[in-house]
Amino acid sequence: MTSDRRSFLSATLGVATAIASGTTGRSTPAIIGSVDEPSPSADISYDPAERAAAAVDFGGLIHKQPRAVARPASAADIAVLVRWAKLQGLKVAARGQGHSIFGRALSDDGVVIDMSKISAIHHIQPDRITVDAGATWKRVLDATLPRGLMPPVLTNYLGLSVGGTIAVGGIGGTSSREGMQTDNVLELDVVTGDGRELTCSATSNPDLFDRVRAGLGQCGIITRATVRLLRAPQRVRRFQLFYRDLASLTADQRRVLTELRFDQLQGAVLPDGAGGWRYQLEGAVYHDNDAAPDGNSVLARLSDERSAAAIAGLTYREDALAFEKFENLLRSKDQWRSPKPWLLTFLPGNVAEQLARDIIAGLTSEDVGLFGRITFYPMSRSACRTPLVRLPEEDVIFVFNIIRLPPTNDAATMERMVGQNRMLYQRIRRAGGVLYPVSAFPMASEDWKDHFGSHWSGFRETKQRHDPANMLTPGYNLF
Ligand SMILES: Cc1cc2nc3c(=O)[nH]c(=O)nc-3n(C[C@H](O)[C@H](O)[C@H](O)COP(=O)(O)OP(=O)(O)OC[C@H]3O[C@@H](n4cnc5c(N)ncnc54)[C@H](O)[C@@H]3O)c2cc1C
């Protein structure tokens, strides 16, 4: 049985949080060897309640109790902490907003570094922002929008940390045009696994830069990021179109992608509340106050059920924060904190429609939940250039995510869904699909080797150079 699986079972079966006996409360740990003592600003805590809070993530499926939780105030604090943890033989995981869904920000009997104090905005220039990695994307937007600027790619939910999404990729409605968030990073400050503070970019330590972006926290803890900015539109016209079946949805999605009709393009297959599915295209056109797009020309020659279309005019900020409404809905139904047995993948364009149809035919609306969805939309691969963001080898690929919000969180259902995710992943993999590494099922080192393919040996070599003791971000089981 893998350790993920043991942890998964103990979490879902409700095994009580086991607080190791011994030290409790806030203190400076005993230091072995000649390493610097973590300064008081590293704020190490052995408090049982804090350790229990850092033993689970947003997914609620995996439980791994850390020995200590630290809340450092600077990159220098993190560097000392990492060197100290290395001497103690403790594994270290950074925790941004803890919105991982399968224990990826946890560290069993190790140290969790809570990044929340490292969240300052440093500089904003017309083409870039420099921000601490613990800041949320909402904080970034709040800082840039008053100057009429925006990051090229925002995740749908802005309550995620800059470091947390750069560690995985960061996909959003503009990814077809602008790539992943990692494609828009200009420079990173990191603390490596041997406790060095390094700056990396395309021209300085480029090898580290390419293995930290979407590198699942393996080669360094990101402390600061410089991210490209674009001029923000004043307004957004958002089109929600509905289709009678997957074929007509896919055909129109391909058409609007090729014709670049929308600045943002997404889509989904949604439970219809009566045991069937609804097929939805979601597109958005950016514009300034005095230049609203003509809806008829935006929608010309599309085959949606036009009477069902919902068209809304929003400010850019309202649009960027639209997910908050969904969050509030889930909170009101007591479902925001429920377990998240999600599966996130990319399908090759040539088989996407057929594969999605076959997989959906095997799912019931209970597998997804009334508020869940199967995200399904095409993207041009060409904008995505981050080496460790793995995608199918085709010009057009499809995002295919099973965002399950099941009405129950009983252990047997969760175990079944996690097992189903693993089987679906294998099926998708055989068809040339690729995982987005925010998914709820165990992955072994061999699976990751397969996932990273030709990038694996270079990745492993950089890992050995910058984290020789293999102590960073153990939750992925990569090395
Ligand atoms: C409601 C919801 C909506 C989402 N929407 C999107 C979306 O639109 N697009 C998308 O791409 N993803 C989305 N995700 C997935 C999300 O991007 C990942 O789960 C992300 O890792 C979470 O960010 P976080 O700050 O909560 O990271 P955490 O869960 O805290 O950390 C994620 C991983 O990154 C590591 N990490 C955290 N900070 C750092 C750092 N500073 N340096 C190095 N490693 C670090 C952690 O150790 C962990 O392995 C969504 C998730 C949720 C729950």
Side-chain angles (χ1 to χ4, degrees), residues 58 93-101 104-105 115 133 155-157 159-165 167-172 216-217 220-223 323 336 342 344 436 438 473 476:
F58 192 69
R95 183 180 178 102
Q97 290 292 311
H99 277 66
S100 299
I101 57 164
R104 309 311 191 190
M115 298 293 293
T155 46
N156 289 355
Y157 174 53
L160 307 169
S161 75
V162 169
T165 66
V168 295
I171 187 171
L216 308 181
I221 296 177
I222 304 162
T223 56
F323 192 93
W336 178 243
W342 296 356
L344 281 68
Y436 186 53
V438 179
T473 323
Y476 286 98

Side-chain angles (χ1 to χ4, degrees), residues 150-154 169-185 213 227-231 233 257 260 262-265 286 316 379-386 389 391:
M150 64 173 185
V153 184
L154 287 172
I171 187 171
T174 55
S175 286
S176 245
R177 290 172 181 252
E178 306 293 347
M180 302 281 168
Q181 289 179 322
T182 46
D183 293 304
N184 294 284
V185 173
R213 290 177 302 143
V227 177
R228 207 160 71 87
L229 294 177
L230 298 176
R231 191 180 82 79
L257 177 77
L260 298 175
F262 293 111
D263 293 294
Q264 288 181 24
L265 174 61
Y286 293 167
Y316 174 75
M379 274 176 55
S380 303
R381 187 178 189 278
S382 59
C384 303
R385 298 169 312 277
T386 307
V389 170
L391 296 171

Side-chain angles (χ1 to χ4, degrees), residues 26 40-44 70-75 77-78 95-97 113-120 122 132-135 139 223:
R26 243 161 240 287
S41 60
D43 198 9
I44 297 181
R71 271 194 200 84
S74 69
D77 284 345
I78 295 183
R95 183 180 178 102
Q97 290 292 311
I113 298 187
D114 177 335
M115 298 293 293
S116 57
K117 280 194 200 158
I118 302 180
S119 60
H122 292 280
D132 280 346
R139 188 159 157 69
T223 56

Side-chain angles (χ1 to χ4, degrees), residues 93-146:
R95 183 180 178 102
Q97 290 292 311
H99 277 66
S100 299
I101 57 164
F102 207 63
R104 309 311 191 190
L106 310 184
S107 181
D108 199 8
D109 198 30
V111 182
V112 167
I113 298 187
D114 177 335
M115 298 293 293
S116 57
K117 280 194 200 158
I118 302 180
S119 60
I121 305 285
H122 292 280
H123 317 288
I124 304 176
Q125 293 169 251
D127 66 342
R128 65 193 60 198
I129 178 170
T130 300
V131 58
D132 280 346
T136 62
W137 287 101
K138 178 161 189 292
R139 188 159 157 69
V140 171
L141 193 66
D142 284 344
T144 60
L145 213 44

